[in-house]
């Protein structure tokens, strides 16, 4: 869909081989969509330390953590007598204690030692822990010398942040088990008093290509418009480092995903199976709040061209504030806000 061009950047030229007419049409659609959201714009930086992402996931959902990171917290199960063969199994053991059936999660943090040489006698240890504050996990240490891999689990009603705008607050359920690096960055934003620079600046409705539920209409083009609202989540005055790509679910109506490596992001107003898993999905808007996203998408816009793609830019950007919310979606009064 395109990234706002802040700096001069090389144009992307797409050369297509003339084959069958149908093949050309499909290839062109995919190319346009890819270029529309990605560009070679230089990102600035983040105070979130980029660490190696574990690549484990399964068809039933993600189960990833961050390598070379040790999270602390009260132990629910001691790793010395609780061992597994992989970080995924350790993660799943924590999830099994966070079903939402028997009340609050008994486990919201898992810590695993999976490097046989570095771990020695600790190899396979799976520590299951409970944080005092899941939005501010107790971090013991991080770096190349750390032998542990750690991850977070948000239970039902937990891990919901708010993007407050003048048109209402978008409640976002975060996915730490799919996008741990991305969620760690969002948790950092919650510690800031202000998020000056955070805003929506692009808005495109579903047009004639998707129905009101986000389903693509047969034989309709895939845009433009691309059925998104796009913005940036970067507080001015802070250093931003690129967030590593984290393979996550397909883009669906309500998906919140990075454009490239951030800090630009978008909220999808429709299902985009045609984008495959090209973008890191780190959260999802609660269904009842999608009317707010739709309202922003209908604001006055002006036409622009990014990387040879026609886009619709808001005449007046919509500022947003990232808020910490409790399990019921209410503003947590213990956190400073604007």
């Amino acid at each position: 869909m395109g990234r706002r061009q802040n700096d001069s950047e090389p144009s992307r030229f797409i050369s297509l081989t003339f084959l069958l007419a149908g093949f050309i049409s499909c290839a062109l659609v995919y190319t346009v969509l890819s270029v529309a959201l990605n560009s070679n714009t230089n990102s600035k930086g983040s105070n979130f330390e980029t660490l190696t992402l574990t690549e484990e996931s399964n068809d039933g959902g993600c189960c990833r953590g961050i390598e070379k990171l040790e999270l602390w917290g009260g132990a629910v199960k001691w790793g010395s007598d609780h061992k597994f063969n992989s970080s995924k199994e350790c993660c799943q053991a924590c999830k099994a204690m966070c079903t939402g059936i028997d009340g609050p999660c008994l486990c919201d943090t898992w810590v695993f030692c999976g490097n046989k040489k570095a771990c020695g006698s600790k190899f396979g240890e799976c520590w299951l822990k409970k944080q005092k504050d899941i939005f501010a996990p107790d971090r013991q240490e991080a770096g190349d010398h750390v032998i542990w891999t750690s991850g977070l689990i948000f239970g039902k009603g937990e891990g919901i942040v708010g993007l407050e705008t003048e048109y209402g607050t978008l409640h976002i359920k975060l996915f730490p088990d799919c996008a741990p690096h991305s969620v760690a960055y969002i948790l950092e934003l919650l510690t800031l008093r202000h998020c000056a620079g955070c805003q929506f600046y692009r808005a495109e409705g579903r047009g004639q290509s998707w129905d009101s539920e986000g389903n693509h209409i047969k034989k309709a083009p895939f845009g433009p418009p691309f059925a998104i609202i796009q913005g940036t989540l970067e507080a001015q005055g802070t250093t931003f480092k690129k967030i590593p790509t984290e393979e996550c679910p397909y883009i669906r109506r309500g998906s919140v995903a990075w454009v490239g490596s951030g800090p630009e992001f978008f909220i999808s107003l429709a299902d985009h199976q045609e984008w495959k898993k090209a973008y890191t999905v780190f959260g999802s808007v609660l269904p009842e709040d999608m009317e707010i996203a739709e309202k922003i998408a209908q604001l006055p816009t002006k036409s622009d061209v990014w990387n040879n793609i026609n886009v619709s830019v808001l005449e007046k950007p919509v500022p947003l504030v990232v808020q910490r919310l409790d399990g019921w979606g209410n503003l947590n009064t213990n956190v400073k806000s604007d």
Side-chain angles (χ1 to χ4, degrees), residues 167 200-206 224-230 269 293-306 310-318:
Y167 300 99
F200 288 112
Y201 55 78
R202 176 186 179 188
E204 299 183 10
R206 297 185 305 275
F226 293 100
I228 63 161
I229 55 175
Q230 184 173 330
L269 306 179
E294 295 282 1
K295 187 182 299 184
I296 294 173
Q298 296 169 10
L299 295 175
T301 60
K302 56 185 177 182
S303 299
D304 202 351
V305 178
W306 300 349
N310 294 323
V311 300
S312 298
V313 180
L314 287 168
E315 292 183 357
K316 182 182 178 182
V318 177

Side-chain angles (χ1 to χ4, degrees), residues 113-133:
C113 200
N115 185 317
K116 184 175 293 188
K117 182 178 180 181
C119 294
S121 62
K122 296 181 181 295
F123 175 69
E125 286 190 7
C126 173
W127 291 78
L128 302 185
K129 304 180 179 184
K130 178 71 174 178
Q131 297 294 328
K132 291 182 179 179
D133 184 352

Side-chain angles (χ1 to χ4, degrees), residues 14-53:
I14 303 172
S15 57
L16 299 173
T17 304
F18 288 98
L19 299 173
L20 297 175
F23 175 78
I24 295 174
S25 175
C26 292
L28 182 59
V29 166
Y30 182 77
T31 301
V32 167
L33 292 170
S34 297
V35 173
L37 271 177
N38 290 285
S39 73
N40 292 325
T41 304
N42 293 325
S43 298
K44 296 179 182 176
S46 159
N47 54 4
F48 170 61
E49 181 180 0
T50 300
L51 303 172
T52 305
L53 176 72

